Amino acid sequence: MLNHSPSLDLMFAALADGSRRNMVDRLSRGPATVKQLAEPLAMSLPAVMQHLRVLEESGLVRSQKTGRVRTCYLEPAALNAAEQWIAERRAGWLSRLDRLGDFLEES
Amino acid sequence: MLNHSPSLDLMFAALADGSRRNMVDRLSRGPATVKQLAEPLAMSLPAVMQHLRVLEESGLVRSQKTGRVRTCYLEPAALNAAEQWIAERRAGWLSRLDRLGDFLEES
């Protein structure tokens, strides 16, 4: 995956906040209303809506309004993209370590 | 892992920039000097040093100066912490999906 990706910028920025990680964590256990997301955070609904906007813009979360209730869902594909980027770099580092080990064994 | 973690804040914020991801990517293939990190970015050394500072403060990278040359190294343990946080949320989501599948099969 390219390093210069506006969507990775938005995803990692969205995850760089404890309240938003809390919301992602909650949504990993199932859909939730905005009110349900706000409860454990001891945060006003407008503040939660603002965090929700950041999460939605990053693609990590989507929401749907039915009547007066907005329900939020995790988008695991986006979470996967962020995880994948990190995993590939860590794999690169580990494979370099392996090659170094081989080299030291042979010499 | 706790959702409210200042170190996760710093790590994800550090990864939310294409130039810094480029540096992490380069370092995943082995240590590099600041000059080597700057080359593909077409960026001034002071600008790279500023990004390096953000990466060092997040724990993702460390650097060491020998004479006039500063060499940078990836810290895979920090990268692992960020990856782990995401992986756990994705696993939570998948296990919920499994339970839902079991429920639908049984009913």
Side-chain angles (χ1 to χ4, degrees), chain A residues 2-6 8-10 12-13 15-22 24-31 41 73-77 79-80 82-90 92-94 96 99, chain B residues 2-6 8-10 12-13 15-22 24-31 41 73-77 79-80 82-90 92-94 96 99:
Chain A
L2 290 172
N3 297 317
H4 281 277
S5 154
L8 281 176
D9 284 10
L10 293 176
F12 285 127
L15 292 175
D17 177 275
S19 300
R20 288 196 293 269
R21 284 198 302 279
N22 208 309
V24 168
D25 188 33
R26 169 61 190 83
L27 293 174
S28 74
R29 281 173 273 128
L41 295 174
Y73 306 83
L74 195 65
E75 282 286 5
L79 215 51
N80 190 30
E83 188 184 335
Q84 206 58 32
W85 189 90
I86 304 180
E88 281 167 18
R89 267 73 225 166
R90 229 166 47 85
W93 190 89
L94 288 171
R96 185 187 158 269
R99 289 198 305 277
Chain B
L2 291 173
N3 297 317
H4 281 277
S5 153
L8 280 177
D9 284 10
L10 293 176
F12 285 127
L15 291 175
D17 176 276
S19 300
R20 288 197 291 268
R21 285 198 301 279
N22 208 310
V24 168
D25 187 33
R26 169 61 190 83
L27 294 174
S28 75
R29 281 174 272 127
L41 295 174
Y73 306 83
L74 195 65
E75 282 287 5
L79 215 50
N80 190 31
E83 188 184 335
Q84 205 58 33
W85 189 90
I86 304 180
E88 281 168 18
R89 268 74 224 164
R90 231 166 46 85
W93 190 89
L94 289 171
R96 185 187 159 268
R99 289 197 306 276

Side-chain angles (χ1 to χ4, degrees), chain B residues 55-89:
Chain B
L55 287 169
E56 288 197 273
E57 278 167 5
S58 77
L60 289 166
V61 169
R62 65 185 168 84
S63 75
Q64 203 170 10
K65 202 168 180 181
T66 310
R68 294 180 61 178
V69 177
R70 181 174 291 278
T71 307
C72 308
Y73 306 83
L74 195 65
E75 282 287 5
L79 215 50
N80 190 31
E83 188 184 335
Q84 205 58 33
W85 189 90
I86 304 180
E88 281 168 18
R89 268 74 224 164

Side-chain angles (χ1 to χ4, degrees), chain A:
Chain A
M1 191 182 293
L2 290 172
N3 297 317
H4 281 277
S5 154
S7 61
L8 281 176
D9 284 10
L10 293 176
M11 278 182 231
F12 285 127
L15 292 175
D17 177 275
S19 300
R20 288 196 293 269
R21 284 198 302 279
N22 208 309
M23 292 164 75
V24 168
D25 188 33
R26 169 61 190 83
L27 293 174
S28 74
R29 281 173 273 128
T33 64
V34 173
K35 205 176 151 219
Q36 286 171 328
L37 289 178
E39 271 164 13
L41 295 174
M43 209 180 257
S44 70
L45 287 186
V48 170
M49 284 299 294
Q50 200 149 350
H51 282 308
L52 179 60
R53 204 166 305 133
V54 176
L55 287 168
E56 286 197 273
E57 278 167 4
S58 77
L60 289 167
V61 169
R62 67 186 167 84
S63 75
Q64 202 170 10
K65 202 169 179 180
T66 308
R68 292 181 61 178
V69 178
R70 181 174 291 280
T71 308
C72 307
Y73 306 83
L74 195 65
E75 282 286 5
L79 215 51
N80 190 30
E83 188 184 335
Q84 206 58 32
W85 189 90
I86 304 180
E88 281 167 18
R89 267 73 225 166
R90 229 166 47 85
W93 190 89
L94 288 171
S95 96
R96 185 187 158 269
L97 210 64
D98 279 349
R99 289 198 305 277
L100 195 66
D102 292 346
F103 172 79
L104 292 174
E105 259 176 38
E106 284 163 17
S107 56

